[in-house]
Amino acid sequence: MSLILGIESSCDETAAAVVRDGFEVLSSAVASQIAVHAKLGGVVPELAAREHLKALDPVVSEALSSAGVTANDIDCVAVTQGPGLIPALLVGLSYAKGLSSNLKVPLVGVNHFMAHIYGAFLDTGMEELTDPAGYPMLALVVSGGHTSLVLVSSDGSARQLGCTIDDAAGEALDKGSKLLELGYPGGPVISRISENGNPQAFNFPRPLTGGAGKALAPEHRYNFSFSGIKTALLYHTRNHGGKENFSDELLNDTVASYQMAVVDTLVRKTMLAAKDFNVKQIVLAGGVACNKLLRSMISGRAPKNVKVRIAPPKYCTDNAAMVGGIGFHSFKKGEFISHDADSFARLPGIVKVPFLG
Ligand code: KG4
Ligand code: ZN
């Protein structure tokens, strides 16, 4: 039996969790900085770092006490090493180095992007995760920083089929919300307002899907682009006399149609890749995977013989349970990082996932 303490600080949530043997989440504590960044309309990296510094100790204490364990019971510290905001990552990594050194336990560096994929398996257990009937698996990772399709084989070999060439899907929702002065983060607000609007009212573009009379370029078959949708929203708003002149109905219809354009694009691309690679399972993960419309459309449009696995909402947005969970697999393999390891900002090339093979 191994207890892993996961620590997450890649963006604007400070999180710690205690996870037993990769799947049993004994605690998952998250301190959100949303209130701090909301005033500024987005995440300010240096400010995030300062907030992590304040929050880490109490969050780790909370994770340990709600798990009913002490620091001395921990077998390994797993920490998000990247990708993310460097000032924010550095705080978590330095803290984790200190802790692992004090406790004399190994330190595991976790790839945040992979951890999001793992979040969809936290509640399932090893058997489900390794069941060959679920492979090849296609993962759509959609967050504030990423929009990628990753193909994973049962032996753990993996490759990124495509990603966004400009904004991430979450960024498109956050920026759309900012443009319409609806607040930060935009995803949850847009989702809520959309419930009162008509998603077919306006036809926002579905970039790189081969629509609007434009053939889909082969090199962009699995890529995404969301900056055009955002520009279309800007012109739409201007054409209707500016946000201040929107009726409630126009606002609701605009937001619902905007959300539909983002979600429809994500789902179309996912289904294209799922068919092309004859996948057996589709996994949906990352903060935007909280979105109700996306969850229902991925399930609704997936071919009948394809299993759809969607991360539970509590493991979609940033959390440390996914870090402690995936970290267990590196711990088991003895893949530790040294105390002079650095954080990394960008997603490295994907060749394998750490939780298989
Ligand atoms: O995974 P995450 O917490 O952080 C990153 O790694 O980026 O994702 C944050 C993103 C934000 O863009 C936020 O607007 C979006 O997830 N999000 C949502 C919802 N909840 C959070 N997007 C759509 N619908 C939601 N319900
Ligand atoms: Zn994330």
Side-chain angles (χ1 to χ4, degrees), residues 5-11 13-16 48-49 52-53 56-57 60 77-102 105-112 323 335-345:
L5 174 69
I7 294 178
E8 156 64 36
S9 75
S10 67
C11 190
E13 329 276 358
T14 317
H52 286 310
L53 205 53
L56 263 168
D57 239 348
V60 168
V77 177
V79 63
T80 302
Q81 202 179 351
L85 307 170
I86 289 290
L89 288 163
L90 274 176
V91 176
L93 182 60
S94 309
Y95 184 95
K97 283 177 184 173
L99 198 60
S100 91
S101 158
N102 276 347
V105 296
L107 181 66
V108 161
V110 165
N111 177 317
H112 180 82
V323 177
E335 291 168 355
F336 308 134
I337 58 170
S338 71
H339 282 199
D340 53 12
D342 270 333
S343 306
F344 53 91

Side-chain angles (χ1 to χ4, degrees), residues 156-178:
S157 57
R159 74 185 162 105
Q160 184 168 259
L161 299 176
C163 61
T164 181
I165 57 169
D166 41 56
D167 292 347
E171 213 176 339
L173 296 172
D174 292 340
K175 287 180 177 169
S177 172
K178 191 171 181 180

Side-chain angles (χ1 to χ4, degrees), residues 189-210:
V189 188
I190 285 184
S191 175
R192 204 170 56 241
I193 295 179
S194 295
E195 283 175 21
N196 304 316
N198 172 8
Q200 261 79 49
F202 304 105
N203 192 19
F204 288 111
R206 271 68 163 162
L208 305 184
T209 58

Side-chain angles (χ1 to χ4, degrees), residues 112 116 143-145 170-171 173-174 185-188 191 286-288 290-291 316-318:
H112 180 82
H116 270 303
S143 70
E171 213 176 339
L173 296 172
D174 292 340
S191 175
V288 181
C290 282
N291 187 272
C316 284
T317 45
D318 288 346

Side-chain angles (χ1 to χ4, degrees), residues 184-354:
Y184 172 85
V189 188
I190 285 184
S191 175
R192 204 170 56 241
I193 295 179
S194 295
E195 283 175 21
N196 304 316
N198 172 8
Q200 261 79 49
F202 304 105
N203 192 19
F204 288 111
R206 271 68 163 162
L208 305 184
T209 58
K214 273 191 224 153
L216 171 57
E219 69 272 25
H220 288 313
R221 192 168 176 82
Y222 311 114
N223 282 343
F224 302 89
S225 165
F226 290 107
S227 67
I229 300 185
K230 196 184 60 194
T231 311
L233 178 65
L234 177 70
Y235 287 126
H236 167 89
T237 307
R238 280 191 194 153
N239 291 341
H240 286 83
K243 158 77 197 307
E244 59 281 12
N245 293 311
F246 274 31
S247 64
D248 284 351
E249 190 189 355
L250 177 58
L251 180 68
N252 294 344
D253 287 351
T254 299
V255 171
S257 302
Y258 186 73
Q259 174 182 257
M260 181 52 96
V262 172
V263 169
D264 184 42
T265 305
L266 290 171
V267 176
R268 282 198 208 186
K269 289 286 189 167
T270 305
M271 295 314 151
L272 190 64
K275 260 192 220 135
D276 286 356
F277 293 92
N278 196 16
V279 306
K280 298 292 183 294
Q281 174 173 221
I282 294 172
V283 167
L284 175 61
V288 181
C290 282
N291 187 272
K292 273 194 214 152
L293 181 68
L294 177 60
R295 296 172 85 88
S296 75
M297 278 176 60
I298 285 274
S299 300
R301 287 209 208 151
K304 290 284 163 285
N305 58 339
V306 174
K307 194 190 288 185
V308 175
R309 188 182 300 282
I310 305 179
K314 63 182 171 186
Y315 301 140
C316 284
T317 45
D318 288 346
N319 66 87
M322 64 186 191
V323 177
I326 197 171
F328 166 75
H329 299 272
S330 301
F331 170 71
K332 238 180 24 184
K333 291 181 199 156
E335 291 168 355
F336 308 134
I337 58 170
S338 71
H339 282 199
D340 53 12
D342 270 333
S343 306
F344 53 91
R346 304 211 157 273
L347 184 65
I350 295 174
V351 288
K352 69 181 186 70
V353 293

